[in-house]
Amino acid sequence: MSQPTGPVYGPSSSGASFDDDHAVSPNGTPPNDLDAERAVVGICMALGRPAIDAARAVLDAGDFYRPAHETIWRAILDLTFEGAPTAAVAVADRLRGDGALERVGGVNYLVRLAAEAPPSADNADYYAAIVRRESELRKLHATGIRTVQQALLPGAQPDEIRSALDAEVREGRERALASGNSRLSRFMVDGWDFVTKTGADKEPLWGTRGETAWAAGESLMIVGAPGVGKTTIAHQVIFARIGLGDSALGMPVAESKRVLYLAMDRPQQIARAMARLVRPEHEKLVRERLLIWEGPLPTSLDKEPGLLAELATAHGADTIVIDSLKDAVSTLVDDSLAIAYNSARNRALREGIQVLELHHQRKATADAPRGQRPTLDRVYGSTWLTSGAGSVLFIAGEAGDPVVNLHHLKTVTGEIGPLTIVHDHEAGTSTVEETIDIAELLRAAQDGVTAKQLATAMTGDKKPDAASIGRARRRLNTQVKSGLAEVEKGSAGGIGGGKEDRYFTSARHINTSVPPTLVEQPAIPLAVVPAAPQNTTQAPVEPALTDAESHRVAAATATSRGTGRFRERSRISTATTVVQPVVAPDAPRKNRR
């Protein structure tokens, strides 16, 4: 076949034989099909919007081999965007105004393309697919030539050539996935499937449905200063993910197929930390289900957002751990780069890959008071990093501390904690220190507990803020919903100042058969309530309740509220102070979240 005639941008205005321009030659000419290109632009000018929509779902402007056809195609798209006609005359007028009409072959060439176009818009995508295929072959052809030239250069390094080749092939694969039919329909689902499947209630990866630390399809970010145990906790979670356990911090962990750990920040320290949890009998599982990437990635994730998903997919991993985030993004404080990273994160999640990120707090807030609840603005970098995360756990403490506090700053379902975490640095394990058991607290407080009192007990602050009181109220209401507690509604403020809601243990959870251990000092910071003053004369001792009386008391407590409850409680209370029952030191310990 002969080379194209006329100007370099297309055939001459006098016209040239279409057969002379068909250039698919085995003698070195890059792959192309000019007949298919002419068919695409011709049918779009002749038949308008239906043909244009079908063709542009398949190809991009850069897929045309002849620059003249690319120029015509861009003019057609511009007119379509403006809602203008796309007939040959209209395209000619647009190109004339741009000074490009003669370069593409003139009015006669445009009219001829439209006149000899295929008769049906249904064929537009077929011819567009041919153009697209030839474009992909040209790119591969160019990559091959470039690789051969690099290999023949003096001092060529095979590793460098392979890296460059891998990068080009990866870019081509990503371009293919992000264009054509796949670009417009690959991730399209109907509304019903989106609601019932995508948004379906799923078992969490870590935690429970009511208190979820890590949800499927949403990333988990663990934040804290260096040395507070971020990596230690992450290792416990991922080792449970690969089958070497079933929980972390007392919360269940779902098993995965394979974990890819990006050990970009001090790989040797990460290896030493992992070694604390590995035993000889674990070798098979650790070899098969845990892969480690050592050191920096080939490029930052903000520059190549598809790399994260591609890494996991290439190695058959359904979970990827980024340790740490500062090593994966060029600049964390730049909003545009943070948005680009969020795109990388979401691409991985869209492919069914679960993402866990380790991150740092702002240095300026590292010395914040330990009891002070952290907020999301203490997380280092752009706000878009945490905005795109599903769950954010913040570990507060000093480097090397055996005891730290964990706060749930961004929740999926119910809030977890705050938890007091005890690290065993030698064993590499962490446990939750028992703090407040709300059920025990309610049983101990005869006059009930308010949300403010619980917030004081949880935070140690005599004047807890509104957020702490709100969290305490939510935990008390959870007890009510589960049937473990009852609430006595207060009243709104006014001249008298109003009255707070008070929460009491439900009657069916008062067990009088096994009395708890009594101690004189209350186990929680609630005020001791004095009993009613007694006469100087000896008061008659109340007889012990019979079984029948006990049943009547329980029934009255379950069905009555207000003063009836307090009469029954005062009948069995004769101490000069309210002695609060707490769990004995040797009683079974619970995870009191």
Side-chain angles (χ1 to χ4, degrees):
M1 297 292 178
S2 61
Q3 293 297 314
T5 59
V8 68
Y9 288 97
S12 64
S13 59
S14 60
S17 171
F18 284 0
D19 291 337
D20 292 340
D21 288 335
H22 186 72
V24 182
S25 173
N27 63 1
T29 302
N32 66 87
D33 192 326
L34 298 180
D35 284 341
E37 292 186 12
R38 283 187 285 261
V40 169
V41 294
I43 198 172
C44 288
M45 287 190 292
L47 301 179
R49 189 61 179 262
I52 296 169
D53 288 343
R56 68 177 175 179
V58 178
L59 54 77
D60 296 324
D63 292 330
F64 289 94
Y65 175 66
R66 170 157 286 178
H69 295 155
E70 178 181 347
T71 301
I72 296 170
W73 175 251
R74 292 186 184 277
I76 292 172
L77 292 182
D78 290 343
L79 291 170
T80 302
F81 180 76
E82 296 170 5
T86 57
V89 175
V91 174
D93 181 67
R94 170 56 61 93
L95 293 174
R96 185 181 295 108
D98 295 339
L101 179 59
E102 294 305 316
R103 293 205 311 266
V104 303
V107 176
N108 291 340
Y109 184 63
L110 297 177
V111 172
R112 188 175 177 188
L113 287 176
E116 300 187 11
S120 173
D122 294 338
N123 298 326
D125 57 346
Y126 177 82
Y127 298 111
I130 296 175
V131 176
R132 176 74 186 184
R133 181 195 66 204
E134 297 300 313
S135 172
E136 293 297 322
L137 289 175
R138 282 199 304 278
K139 291 180 175 66
L140 292 173
H141 179 260
T143 298
I145 292 176
R146 194 158 39 248
T147 302
V148 170
Q149 291 173 340
Q150 290 174 344
L152 296 178
L153 291 175
Q157 297 297 321
D159 287 342
E160 294 180 2
I161 296 174
R162 274 192 293 267
S163 296
L165 180 60
D166 288 343
E168 289 198 42
V169 172
R170 182 171 60 246
E171 181 183 355
R173 186 184 301 113
E174 181 66 22
R175 185 173 57 246
L177 291 175
S179 62
N181 282 328
S182 61
R183 178 185 63 177
L184 301 182
S185 61
R186 185 180 178 207
F187 298 104
M188 190 74 68
V189 296
D190 63 74
W192 181 256
D193 280 350
F194 180 76
V195 172
T196 59
K197 296 179 181 179
T198 305
D201 186 19
K202 303 173 183 176
E203 288 296 328
L205 305 178
W206 182 26
T208 64
R209 288 177 182 267
E211 295 181 343
T212 300
W214 187 8
E218 301 183 52
S219 66
L220 166 64
M221 180 184 291
I222 303 178
V223 183
V228 296
K230 299 187 302 293
T231 300
T232 298
I233 293 175
H235 288 178
Q236 294 170 62
V237 174
I238 66 168
F239 272 81
R241 289 281 284 163
I242 66 173
L244 298 180
D246 56 8
S247 65
L249 300 183
M251 296 180 288
V253 177
E255 195 168 335
S256 68
K257 294 186 302 183
R258 178 178 287 177
V259 174
L260 173 59
Y261 195 106
L262 304 182
M264 298 179 286
D265 184 10
R266 299 167 296 176
Q268 292 184 350
Q269 290 190 23
I270 294 173
R272 286 195 294 269
M274 284 187 175
R276 298 176 297 178
L277 299 173
V278 176
R279 305 290 179 267
E281 60 270 22
H282 300 159
E283 180 178 354
K284 186 175 186 297
L285 271 178
V286 175
R287 282 189 182 277
E288 293 177 353
R289 302 181 65 179
L290 179 62
L291 295 176
I292 311 295
W293 175 285
E294 293 188 62
L297 293 173
T299 184
S300 60
L301 296 178
D302 55 273
K303 294 179 180 176
E304 193 171 330
L307 179 60
L308 193 64
E310 187 176 350
L311 271 173
T313 302
H315 298 289
D318 64 348
T319 301
I320 194 163
V321 181
I322 301 174
D323 189 358
S324 66
L325 204 56
K326 66 178 177 59
D327 304 285
V329 184
S330 302
T331 304
L332 293 172
V333 296
D334 188 305
D335 284 348
S336 62
L337 299 188
I339 292 173
Y341 169 74
N342 193 43
S343 174
R345 168 200 281 158
N346 287 330
R347 290 190 189 196
L349 293 171
R350 187 175 61 183
E351 297 288 349
I353 300 159
Q354 311 302 333
V355 180
L356 190 159
E357 305 152 343
L358 301 185
H359 191 30
H360 295 83
Q361 67 180 47
R362 295 183 185 274
K363 293 182 179 179
T365 61
D367 297 328
R370 181 157 185 164
Q372 178 181 329
R373 176 179 169 81
T375 55
L376 284 174
D377 59 8
R378 285 180 60 181
V379 179
Y380 181 76
S382 167
T383 185
W384 297 111
L385 295 174
T386 54
S387 296
S391 179
V392 178
L393 298 177
F394 192 102
I395 304 174
E398 300 291 337
D401 275 357
V403 180
V404 296
N405 295 323
L406 184 144
H407 301 268
H408 202 180
L409 302 190
K410 191 175 183 185
T411 63
V412 179
T413 53
E415 180 182 4
I416 296 171
L419 303 179
T420 299
I421 307 297
V422 181
H423 290 310
D424 184 336
H425 292 296
E426 184 175 348
T429 58
S430 306
T431 55
V432 178
E433 183 182 68
E434 299 176 25
T435 52
I436 296 175
D437 187 322
I438 296 181
E440 292 288 348
L441 171 58
L442 292 171
R443 283 195 288 270
Q446 294 189 11
D447 287 337
V449 175
T450 66
K452 183 176 181 180
Q453 288 175 317
L454 177 57
T456 297
M458 291 169 55
T459 64
D461 188 350
K462 294 181 180 180
K463 295 182 179 180
D465 56 24
S468 299
I469 295 174
R471 287 189 292 272
R473 183 177 294 108
R474 287 195 295 272
R475 296 186 67 177
L476 288 167
N477 286 331
T478 300
Q479 296 282 317
V480 174
K481 291 179 182 178
S482 60
L484 300 177
E486 298 174 358
V487 59
E488 185 177 87
K489 291 294 184 180
S491 58
I495 297 177
K499 181 180 177 183
E500 295 183 79
D501 293 350
R502 301 193 78 85
Y503 296 80
F504 303 86
T505 188
S506 60
R508 66 188 180 89
H509 288 86
I510 300 177
N511 186 354
T512 58
S513 60
V514 182
T517 302
L518 300 181
V519 294
E520 293 298 329
Q521 184 66 26
I524 54 171
L526 293 178
V528 175
V529 181
Q534 299 186 10
N535 297 328
T536 54
T537 59
Q538 181 68 30
V541 178
E542 290 279 0
L545 296 178
T546 65
D547 291 341
E549 289 175 327
S550 297
H551 287 301
R552 286 197 299 272
V553 170
T557 306
T559 58
S560 65
R561 308 185 73 83
T563 58
R565 180 197 304 274
F566 299 134
R567 282 200 300 270
E568 295 299 345
R569 292 177 181 230
S570 63
R571 184 177 186 276
I572 59 175
S573 176
T574 58
T576 55
T577 59
V578 175
V579 180
Q580 298 190 12
V582 296
V583 178
D586 56 348
R589 296 168 67 86
K590 300 178 181 177
N591 182 0
R592 302 177 180 180
R593 297 192 298 277

